[in-house]
Amino acid sequence: MNKNELVSSMAEKTGMKKTEMEKALKAFTDTVVEALKNDDKIQLVGFGTFEVNKKPARTGRNPKTGEQMKIAACNAPKFKPGKALKDALN
């Protein structure tokens, strides 16, 4: 499912216009991004948790040459599904 399909499905289920639903979805994604940038965790009980996974700097190897190289530290987004979401899928 792509973004347009998601917006259409959500609009159909809520009875809202597609343009309004697109604004709501954008507001949600912007809020999640902003919170993660501020190192906050977003918990939606039953659905899941969005958080930042901090990866430290490390040494890796170039698979072609075998030469060692430095990999910089980075922050990666992480989503952990909640129990209700897991149960719904199984």
Side-chain angles (χ1 to χ4, degrees):
M1 177 180 283
N2 63 30
K3 181 181 174 186
N4 288 333
E5 293 168 342
L6 176 63
V7 168
S8 295
S9 177
M10 290 171 59
E12 187 178 306
K13 288 182 181 187
T14 61
M16 293 174 68
K17 294 180 182 178
K18 285 184 184 179
T19 54
E20 292 171 339
M21 189 50 63
E22 193 168 350
K23 287 179 186 176
L25 181 60
K26 177 145 177 52
F28 172 76
T29 56
D30 289 348
T31 302
V32 169
V33 169
E34 219 172 277
L36 293 178
K37 278 184 180 179
N38 294 330
D39 232 5
D40 291 337
K41 178 165 64 167
I42 298 177
Q43 245 178 328
L44 302 173
V45 176
F47 184 71
T49 304
F50 296 92
E51 58 190 334
V52 176
N53 188 17
K54 296 181 183 210
K55 296 183 177 184
R58 63 189 193 277
T59 304
R61 287 193 182 272
N62 181 332
K64 253 185 182 176
T65 63
E67 182 181 327
Q68 284 193 348
M69 53 191 273
K70 290 183 179 181
I71 300 172
C74 68
N75 294 328
K78 178 180 175 183
F79 176 75
K80 188 167 93 175
K83 184 176 180 345
L85 178 59
K86 288 180 195 175
D87 290 346
L89 298 177
N90 294 315

